[in-house]
Amino acid sequence: MEDSFALNKANWNDRAALHAASPEYQAQQFIDTAEHLSDVVRFDRPRLGDISGLQAVHLQCHIGTDTLSLARLGAELTGLDFSDASLAQARQLASACNQPIRFVEAPVYDAAQVLGEQRYDLVYTGIGALNWLPRIDDWAANVAALLKPGGRLFLREAHPVLLSLDETYEGELRIVHPYFEHREPLVWDDAQTYVQTTAPLTATVTHEWNHGLGEIISALLRHGMQLSALQEHDSVPWEALPGQMVRGADGEWRLQTRPERLPMSYTLQAVKRS
């Protein structure tokens, strides 16, 4: 697992500056427009509700665009990520936007220990996070430990059914990867990231894991959480199946034909029991 985290950290350090400079992450729009929000947070804003005044932590925050968006909605934010290069970009963006946000470098499995006695009203995890974790139970334990009694987890994530598909196959949808949590990682070697850039990555190898929806919910229940909302979506914020999807006016990608066939992402909310 340590080797996997080291490989993934090197990869995300490599991506950080490329993502910050890319049009997809909209850094300049954040700087130019004080009300600008990330597409991911804007999509889930009706489900987030009023978060003004809440103490919130964003786990696996990357370069902080979703973190900044939550702060602009009035929450007091801490962002946590294992990539020092990503956090450098996050701090730079928050400073350019005159938004006070605390950023902490740590693996998500160490979040509760590193953040000490601080307990939060809201734990937020955005899309593209859980697939980098080998064990969902350790993640759920940290989520529960970080929350005050009555505090809420808000999770938007790619659906595990989507992550089990062969994204290179441009015909029928084909399940080829594990749906359930698996011991050995899926190993990828790819010199490209998912944003528009001509610069190749140098740290190209990554390790990923999938986690079934039932496994995620069961882990949260084991650690004293109560499910309060679950909504599956026919869309996702990136072109997950190249050549088979179309982008909508909301910035989300859906299947070109019969999008009702496939859950692309989901929003899950859970509350820590008193």
Side-chain angles (χ1 to χ4, degrees), residues 116-268:
E117 296 301 314
Q118 176 72 48
R119 293 298 175 261
Y120 297 88
D121 304 300
L122 176 68
V123 170
Y124 178 89
T125 296
I127 203 142
L130 299 188
N131 55 298
W132 304 101
L133 305 177
R135 296 189 305 264
I136 203 62
D137 193 78
D138 290 354
W139 168 84
N142 275 272
V143 167
L146 287 167
L147 284 168
K148 301 173 183 177
R152 175 173 54 138
L153 165 69
F154 192 99
L155 169 66
R156 170 90 192 283
E157 188 52 285
H159 202 287
V161 170
L162 171 65
L163 297 181
S164 71
L165 298 179
D166 180 0
E167 66 178 35
T168 66
Y169 186 74
E170 294 189 22
E172 292 296 319
L173 302 175
R174 293 181 18 176
I175 292 178
V176 297
H177 304 303
Y179 172 86
F180 296 108
E181 186 172 297
H182 42 100
R183 181 178 179 84
E184 296 301 321
L186 298 173
V187 180
W188 308 103
D189 191 346
D190 190 351
Q192 302 300 318
T193 184
Y194 51 81
V195 300
Q196 297 178 36
T197 177
T198 58
L201 300 174
T202 57
T204 61
V205 177
T206 56
H207 289 181
E208 295 184 44
W209 296 262
N210 205 1
H211 312 281
L213 199 53
E215 292 173 328
I216 295 166
I217 293 170
S218 294
L220 291 168
L221 296 177
R222 277 195 300 274
H223 291 282
M225 303 290 293
Q226 180 176 334
L227 187 68
S228 57
L230 176 62
Q231 184 175 359
E232 296 172 294
H233 310 291
D234 65 358
S235 67
V236 75
W238 83 100
E239 191 179 7
L241 300 170
Q244 302 184 63
M245 304 182 75
V246 61
R247 192 178 189 187
D250 59 358
E252 295 272 308
W253 292 83
R254 295 169 175 84
L255 286 175
Q256 289 178 344
T257 58
R258 296 166 53 214
E260 69 276 6
R261 288 180 292 161
L262 180 66
M264 288 281 186
S265 63
Y266 64 95
T267 302
L268 182 153

Side-chain angles (χ1 to χ4, degrees), residues 83-111:
S83 164
D84 52 308
S86 294
L87 293 178
Q89 296 293 338
R91 293 186 182 104
Q92 183 176 325
L93 179 60
S95 177
C97 294
N98 298 310
Q99 189 74 55
I101 298 174
R102 175 192 180 203
F103 289 102
V104 177
E105 181 186 343
V108 71
Y109 287 164
D110 296 338

